[in-house]
Amino acid sequence: MKLLLHTCCAPCSAYVEQVLRPNFEVSLYYFNPNIHPKAEYQTRLAELKKYAAKYEINFIEAAYQPETWFAYIKGYEEEPEGGERCRLCYRMRLEATAKYAKENGFEHFTSTLSISPHKKSAWINEIGKELAEKYALNFLEADFKKQDGFKKSCEVSKEEGFYRQTYCGCVYSQRD
């Protein structure tokens, strides 16, 4: 079964990909127009590409279009971290993932976002289920931080020597 895994960075992706690998043919999908500055985006991208190449995982990079993200969240700039701006950001990235999955023959999709203790898995799963219905796909509901998932992702990151960022990615999470 082919699964498209929306990925935000190598530290989050490695553990999740390892969990999914026994049951799915996983492809990594890097769509993150929220990440700023561009140097941070490129650092995360390079780290993820290196991981994908090392383990021969199919890797797909979507275009980096931060102006589209800023337009999408316009009016929510002052929302606190974890608020409605984040919900919109999840939706934008999951919708792009679902659309790509549908157009490219994937049966399933999910995201690494739920591994973060700062992300609301209930929102991610709710949005994923809506989009699965819209695009006639299967969304793998998950809360990857459960059962020490976040801790295990940190261990994998340390073993792999990954760069670990200090903020979610957008200018507002960096500010907060």
Side-chain angles (χ1 to χ4, degrees):
M1 294 184 291
K2 291 174 60 175
L3 180 138
L4 188 63
L5 176 61
H6 168 261
T7 62
C8 55
C9 61
C12 293
S13 302
Y15 172 73
V16 172
E17 188 275 330
Q18 289 173 12
V19 167
L20 297 173
R21 188 182 314 150
N23 299 309
F24 295 98
E25 180 186 327
V26 178
S27 292
L28 305 178
Y29 184 67
Y30 189 73
F31 175 72
N32 297 291
N34 60 305
I35 298 176
H36 295 287
K38 188 171 185 178
E40 177 72 18
Y41 175 90
Q42 291 173 325
T43 299
R44 294 183 193 196
L45 173 62
E47 201 72 359
L48 192 55
K49 279 183 170 180
K50 184 172 69 174
Y51 172 77
K54 179 178 179 179
Y55 293 99
E56 299 179 347
I57 304 164
N58 187 38
F59 180 81
I60 302 134
E61 177 189 358
Y64 179 55
Q65 299 173 327
E67 65 283 352
T68 304
W69 182 81
F70 279 110
Y72 195 78
I73 58 96
K74 187 169 178 56
Y76 294 89
E77 297 88 349
E78 298 306 316
E79 282 284 312
E81 185 69 11
E84 195 59 30
R85 181 187 65 246
C86 295
R87 185 185 191 98
L88 287 170
C89 187
Y90 303 161
R91 177 171 296 284
M92 179 188 200
R93 294 189 284 163
L94 284 170
E95 179 124 27
T97 305
K99 187 174 186 216
Y100 186 93
K102 183 64 176 180
E103 291 171 352
N104 291 278
F106 290 87
E107 299 110 7
H108 304 270
F109 74 105
T110 195
S111 176
T112 62
L113 292 173
S114 73
I115 199 158
S116 170
H118 306 290
K119 304 284 185 286
K120 295 179 180 172
S121 299
W123 283 0
I124 295 162
N125 288 324
E126 174 188 305
I127 293 165
K129 288 188 299 186
E130 280 177 38
L131 295 170
E133 189 173 313
K134 177 179 178 178
Y135 290 95
L137 294 166
N138 299 300
F139 178 75
L140 179 65
E141 289 184 61
D143 187 348
F144 291 113
K145 70 180 132 301
K146 299 267 179 163
Q147 299 175 329
D148 287 330
F150 180 72
K151 180 181 173 190
K152 291 173 185 172
S153 76
C154 291
E155 291 167 1
V156 171
S157 295
K158 189 174 181 180
E159 290 167 13
E160 294 287 339
F162 288 147
Y163 159 77
R164 288 193 61 86
Q165 60 276 4
T166 58
Y167 64 104
C168 175
C170 79
V171 294
Y172 308 111
S173 68
Q174 188 178 34
R175 169 196 71 196
D176 294 346

